[in-house]
């Protein structure tokens, strides 16, 4: 399928909501390049996300995210797989919306827990890998995630193709 969207498509959502996996599949379907924010930031800084948090603190990492989003407003249209905290800063949402639409991926805390299981590069989940802690953190973010979203996709019990089809369909409806 040829890309029919003339803007960036930014995927937001909680850690483990499927942003990276969905971006990859959607990128192939639409023949669009993918920017994986965590990966790019980590590569540029020469260390893991956990080490950036440890060495420089969360605010430093958040500023890198904002700078990267500003950078992505120029150049060709891409799929942006955002870090889970991106939508918490109003400035980030404004930057993305200058040239893009925001897709919120949602999943239940139980699904999130299954997906993040043994990955240790998520400092905010360290010591919080249980349904209750994930629910609590998710609740503190819900309002901002939903306010930022142009479209919302519930991912539980859907396969990757269904999720991508739904994104394409809902974005197309918005563009009409
Ligand atoms: C974060 C999510 C992570 C990463 C960092 C902070 C968050 O990205 O950016 O650990 O605040 O939710 P993923 O959502 O890709 O795990």
């Amino acid at each position: 399928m040829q890309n029919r969207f003339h803007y960036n498509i930014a995927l937001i959502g909680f850690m483990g909501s499927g942003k990276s996996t969905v971006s990859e599949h959607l990128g192939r379907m639409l023949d669009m390049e993918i920017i994986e924010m965590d990966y790019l930031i980590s590569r540029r800084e020469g260390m893991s996300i956990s080490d950036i948090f440890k060495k420089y603190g969360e605010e430093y990492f958040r500023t890198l995210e904002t700078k990267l989003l500003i950078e992505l407003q120029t150049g060709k249209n891409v799929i942006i797989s955002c870090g889970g905290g991106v939508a918490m800063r109003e400035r980030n949402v404004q930057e993305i919306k200058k040239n893009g639409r925001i897709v919120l991926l949602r999943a239940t805390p139980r699904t999130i827990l299954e997906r993040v299981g043994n990955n240790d590069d998520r400092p905010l989940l360290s010591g919080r890998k249980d349904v209750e802690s994930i629910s609590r953190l998710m609740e503190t973010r819900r309002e901002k995630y939903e306010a930022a979203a142009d479209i919302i996709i519930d991912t539980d019990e859907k396969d990757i193709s269904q999720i991508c089809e739904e994104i394409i369909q809902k974005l197309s409806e918005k563009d009409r």
Side-chain angles (χ1 to χ4, degrees):
M1 189 190 303
Q2 221 204 330
N3 177 27
R4 60 176 89 155
F5 302 111
H6 305 290
Y7 44 76
N8 291 332
I9 301 174
L11 302 190
I12 64 165
F14 201 79
M15 294 166 268
S17 57
K19 300 177 298 271
S20 305
T21 317
V22 171
S23 292
E24 260 177 51
H25 198 87
L26 195 62
R28 275 198 301 274
M29 281 176 84
L30 295 173
D31 194 22
M32 280 173 90
E33 194 185 312
I34 301 152
I35 303 291
E36 174 71 46
M37 290 185 66
D38 283 350
Y39 172 77
L40 192 54
I41 288 174
S42 164
R43 205 184 60 189
R44 285 179 175 180
E45 293 294 297
M47 64 184 95
S48 68
I49 302 293
S50 290
D51 285 343
I52 299 174
F53 269 64
K54 264 189 235 140
K55 194 158 177 204
Y56 302 113
E58 181 171 347
E59 270 313 292
Y60 175 85
F61 172 74
R62 299 300 176 198
T63 300
L64 293 179
E65 288 186 312
T66 303
K67 285 186 178 157
L68 178 54
L69 287 169
I70 293 169
E71 189 185 319
L72 292 175
Q73 299 321 309
T74 54
K76 65 176 179 172
N77 296 321
V78 291
I79 294 176
I80 308 170
S81 177
C82 295
V86 157
M88 294 303 106
R89 269 197 188 184
E90 182 56 34
R91 172 78 196 277
N92 293 344
V93 175
Q94 284 168 4
E95 286 304 327
I96 297 171
K97 291 203 170 178
K98 283 183 185 166
N99 175 36
R101 289 215 197 264
I102 297 184
V103 178
L104 169 61
L105 300 181
R106 285 196 303 209
T108 58
R110 187 161 298 282
T111 302
I112 297 284
L113 183 61
E114 279 165 21
R115 291 183 188 158
V116 298
N118 44 26
N119 181 319
D120 278 337
D121 198 23
R122 288 189 171 105
L124 297 182
L125 285 185
S126 158
R128 286 176 168 161
K129 288 208 184 121
D130 57 87
V131 169
E132 290 71 29
S133 306
I134 290 173
S135 303
R136 239 178 283 128
L137 183 55
M138 204 186 256
E139 224 19 74
T140 66
R141 293 182 164 198
R142 179 190 302 280
E143 208 178 320
K144 286 197 172 147
Y145 280 155
E146 292 180 2
D150 289 299
I151 64 167
I152 298 178
I153 311 284
D154 288 310
T155 63
D156 288 275
E157 277 141 47
K158 287 179 192 157
D159 67 32
I160 189 79
S161 307
Q162 276 175 296
I163 294 169
C164 291
E165 292 292 350
E166 202 176 317
I167 292 174
I168 292 170
Q169 189 203 328
K170 285 190 169 168
L171 285 178
S172 304
E173 278 166 19
K174 281 256 160 196
D175 292 343
R176 249 184 239 143

